[in-house]
Amino acid sequence: MKTKDWIIGVAALVLLGALTYVWLVPSGAKQVPSVSVATLDGGRIALDQFRGRPLLVTFWATTCPGCIKEIPHLIELHEEFGPRGLGIIAVAMEYDPPDQVRELIRRKGVPYQVALDDRGEAARGFGDVRLTPTSFLIDPKGRIVQHKLGELEMDRLRGRIVAMLGQG
């Protein structure tokens, strides 16, 4: 490998590390966008109403195999940590037909909140989310402390939630 290529590679890694640090470390973490999403029953959920407790926002679609695979794990998180303050909102993508979302949620027995990003505002607010699953863990101060594209790493996520709830 040429010295120039090696230096460029190292510089790129340093820059990527710095950007990741700023994105994931709470002091530099981005604030949750001020958006609201439509609930399946026609109401609206404002994400800032969860301030003061941890929140997991996951963008998903009924046609996404990885999203469907995550549902049982999200149900477990809801059952374990929901009573302790964790909020979970599964945001169906704008293109997902509401009747299809309702049927899947009914069939899977989903107990956590499910919303429809009926105008795509939430996806845009979170950095123009297009791929599913994409999840964001938000701390009680409203900061995004974890952003995951693809299926969640449940052990890592569980550890962060436990720490936020003060039980770790």
Side-chain angles (χ1 to χ4, degrees), residues 54 80-81 84 155-168:
E80 182 177 356
F81 297 116
R84 300 178 197 171
D155 290 338
R156 179 175 182 220
L157 177 62
R158 184 178 304 278
R160 292 192 91 160
I161 292 168
V162 166
M164 279 189 223
L165 294 172
Q167 300 161 2

Side-chain angles (χ1 to χ4, degrees), residues 84-143:
R84 300 178 197 171
L86 175 68
I88 298 176
I89 302 175
V91 181
M93 298 297 285
E94 179 180 19
Y95 55 79
D96 225 344
D99 289 341
Q100 195 168 308
V101 172
R102 283 184 190 88
E103 173 56 25
L104 185 105
I105 293 307
R106 183 198 60 75
R107 197 171 68 244
K108 296 287 186 182
V110 172
Y112 49 84
Q113 293 184 326
V114 177
L116 304 168
D117 194 9
D118 53 353
R119 296 179 289 224
E121 292 172 353
R124 282 190 299 280
F126 276 91
D128 203 18
V129 173
R130 293 175 188 254
L131 301 174
T132 58
T134 297
S135 301
F136 299 86
L137 182 60
I138 300 158
D139 74 5
K141 294 180 180 177
R143 300 175 303 199

